[in-house]
Amino acid sequence: MELRTAASPKDVKHYDTARLREEFLIQDLFTPGEVKMIYSHIDRIITGSAVPTPSLTLTAGDELRAEYFLQRREMGIINIGGKGTVTVDGTVYEMDYKDGLYIGMGSKDIEFKSNDETAPAKFYFHSAPAHKTYPTVFIKPEDCVTEELGSLETANHRTIRKYILPGQVESCQLVMGMTTLEPGSVWNTMPCHTHDRRMEVYLYFELPEDAVVFHYMGEPTETRHIVMRNEEAVISPSWSIHSASATQAYTFIWGMVGENQAFDDMDHVKMTDLR
């Protein structure tokens, strides 16, 4: 498990490109035959992946000082690869492309499998500290709360699917979902915002190999960018904006943890105030 410490906005405004990427960019997530995890000190979120070829078991590792991974944690999973299964304490969940799963605190045995190891599942997950056990829930994308925003004229026509949030799938603090941009649209979360009470992680995918995403971060008056590619993730501290534009339409998974779970708790930034 890789450890990332928290960063002060006073320091980040002095980072060069290499340092920004070292602190916030997550690359090489989906490695066949491996569970990969990045533990961020920012709200103690763990961002990870499992590409089972063959099956993989989730373990706590020394970093958590726990008997098992979800002893004090909850997690959300979305599959962005081939068909596979996630087994939770003996219960098998069949996971197709973009299917999700919430697993509550206290679940002990977590196993990942691919139906076809030549086209393996790619399980992407977030995990956060929990204080209560909520039921494990299988989530189909068509059953999610859906919101359509933006327009082609402003290059941000997009559909938001909310996988884990209060009133749909209950959790202690984890909120998770997916945003898909329509062809011809390339902007997300612009006009931008911050939310001091929650941090966020984005995973960009459904991009061809020669496409790039420009992820924008930093304080509204001290913005920076990180160039990203398909199936790469980025950590967004609570004080940072989190917007992007790309060379073509894309999809991204967002996960938030922190003080509250209110999706609309945002501190909007005027376009005239951006620097």
Side-chain angles (χ1 to χ4, degrees), residues 3 22 26 29 31 65 67 138 192 207-208 226:
L3 180 66
E22 178 185 354
I26 301 174
L29 258 177
T31 302
R65 298 294 193 271
E67 295 177 23
F138 176 69
C192 62
L207 279 160
I226 299 176

Side-chain angles (χ1 to χ4, degrees), residues 11 56-57 61 66 69 96 128 137 142 160 172 177 192 197 202 226 248 253 273:
D11 295 330
L56 295 168
T57 300
F69 188 84
D96 208 340
V137 180
E142 57 266 29
I160 300 173
C172 291
C192 62
R197 291 141 300 277
Y202 276 12
I226 299 176
Q248 67 177 75
I253 294 171
D273 292 340

Side-chain angles (χ1 to χ4, degrees), residues 163-178:
Y163 281 61
I164 301 170
L165 79 165
Q168 176 171 299
V169 176
E170 299 296 333
S171 66
C172 291
Q173 63 166 315
L174 178 63
V175 178
M176 197 168 175
M178 181 185 299

Side-chain angles (χ1 to χ4, degrees), residues 26-31 34 36-38 47-51 124 203 231-233:
I26 301 174
Q27 296 179 293
D28 303 319
L29 258 177
F30 299 96
T31 302
E34 293 186 21
K36 302 194 76 170
M37 290 184 280
I38 293 82
T47 299
S49 64
V51 184
Y124 175 72
L203 172 78
E231 296 183 356
E232 293 183 344

Side-chain angles (χ1 to χ4, degrees), residues 197-213:
R197 291 141 300 277
R198 296 175 297 165
M199 64 84 67
E200 195 158 6
V201 177
Y202 276 12
L203 172 78
Y204 294 98
F205 70 110
E206 293 191 326
L207 279 160
E209 293 302 314
D210 60 348
V212 295
V213 174

